[in-house]
């Protein structure tokens, strides 16, 4: 018997979730991080899910990400010892010590944080994990995706609710990112996605 194709919806109002404003039900759930370039179907109601990460654009390092939630979206984009390492955020109110007087970065490669690929020592005590997502923010508290990325770069529904489209020009600029409902995805531009600008959705 042939397998049924996944549901593909573009622009259907039934696809739009209430989850961006609903209570967050994923506190404490375990996530497994995958570096494979796969479309991830994230689950709802506290079931385990995979969070797909993407390389920091333009070959940049984790330290260039200035938002702690966005940090959890990426692996380091460099081609050196840090390349491919999960980006790890600092806990709220803290930053990583890189020997400067001002506040240091709030996002670093995992091996840098644990002290296994740098000379700065183990700074795990300053970090927080990406396993427990914070509740979705109010609209005014959303942050723009870094480096001009569009909402479609977010491949996890949970994280989608935290961002505005990072593009600075055109109709999608600064639009709230909207996730597809669990079990569905958006189709357009030749790719299936789980996060799109609200005007697109």
């Amino acid at each position: 018997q042939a397998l049924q194709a996944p549901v593909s919806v573009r622009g259907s109002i039934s696809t739009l979730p209430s989850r961006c404003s609903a209570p967050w039900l994923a506190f404490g759930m375990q996530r497994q991080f995958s570096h494979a370039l796969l479309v991830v179907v994230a689950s709802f109601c506290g079931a385990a899910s995979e969070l797909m990460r993407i390389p920091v654009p333009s070959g940049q390092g984790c330290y260039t990400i200035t938002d702690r939630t966005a940090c959890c979206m990426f692996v380091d984009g460099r081609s050196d010892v840090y390349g491919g390492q999960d980006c790890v955020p600092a806990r709220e109110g803290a930053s990583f010590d890189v020997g400067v007087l001002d506040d240091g970065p709030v996002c670093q490669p995992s091996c840098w944080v644990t002290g296994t690929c740098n000379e700065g020592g183990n700074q795990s005590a300053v970090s927080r994990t990406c396993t427990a997502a914070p509740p979705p923010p109010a609209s005014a508290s959303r942050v723009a995706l870094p480096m001009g990325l569009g909402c479609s770069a977010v491949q996890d529904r949970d994280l989608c609710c935290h961002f505005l489209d990072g593009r600075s020009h055109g109709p999608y600029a600064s639009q709230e990112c909207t996730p597809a409902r669990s079990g569905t995805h958006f189709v357009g531009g030749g790719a299936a996605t789980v996060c799109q600008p609200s005007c697109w959705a």
Side-chain angles (χ1 to χ4, degrees):
Q1 183 178 4
L3 294 176
Q4 185 177 1
V7 177
S8 300
V9 182
R10 185 202 190 285
S12 169
I13 195 66
S14 64
T15 307
L16 305 183
S18 60
R19 60 186 307 181
C20 286
S21 58
W24 198 270
L25 300 179
F27 271 109
M29 75 181 186
Q30 180 179 6
R31 295 173 182 271
Q32 297 174 341
F33 299 125
S34 171
H35 295 172
L37 295 181
L38 302 172
V39 174
V40 174
V41 179
S43 58
F44 190 44
C45 298
S49 67
E50 286 191 344
L51 174 62
M52 180 188 159
R53 292 176 178 238
I54 58 175
V56 178
S58 304
Q60 296 294 307
C62 298
Y63 68 92
T64 62
I65 307 301
T66 58
D67 178 77
R68 291 171 176 80
T69 301
C71 183
C72 294
M73 285 177 51
F74 295 100
V75 295
D76 198 287
R78 290 171 286 188
S79 57
D80 56 14
V81 65
Y82 304 122
Q85 289 282 316
D86 284 353
C87 294
V88 176
R91 68 174 185 266
E92 290 297 326
S95 61
F96 295 110
D97 182 5
V98 292
V100 295
L101 295 178
D102 298 328
D103 289 341
V106 298
C107 185
Q108 286 283 25
S110 58
C111 70
W112 190 98
V113 172
T114 58
T116 58
C117 61
N118 81 88
E119 298 178 358
N122 190 335
Q123 298 192 39
S124 298
V126 182
S127 69
R128 72 166 176 83
T129 67
C130 294
T131 55
S139 177
S141 300
R142 290 187 183 221
V143 295
L145 284 163
M147 300 184 179
L149 290 174
C151 295
S152 60
V154 183
Q155 300 189 28
D156 180 83
R157 290 172 175 84
D158 295 341
L159 286 178
C160 183
C161 297
H162 289 263
F163 296 108
L164 302 172
D165 196 288
R167 288 169 280 196
S168 57
H169 303 287
Y172 306 132
S174 300
Q175 286 279 312
E176 289 187 359
C177 294
T178 301
R181 192 174 59 190
S182 181
T184 68
H185 55 263
F186 299 116
V187 175
T193 59
V194 298
C195 186
Q196 287 286 0
S198 58
C199 68
W200 188 101

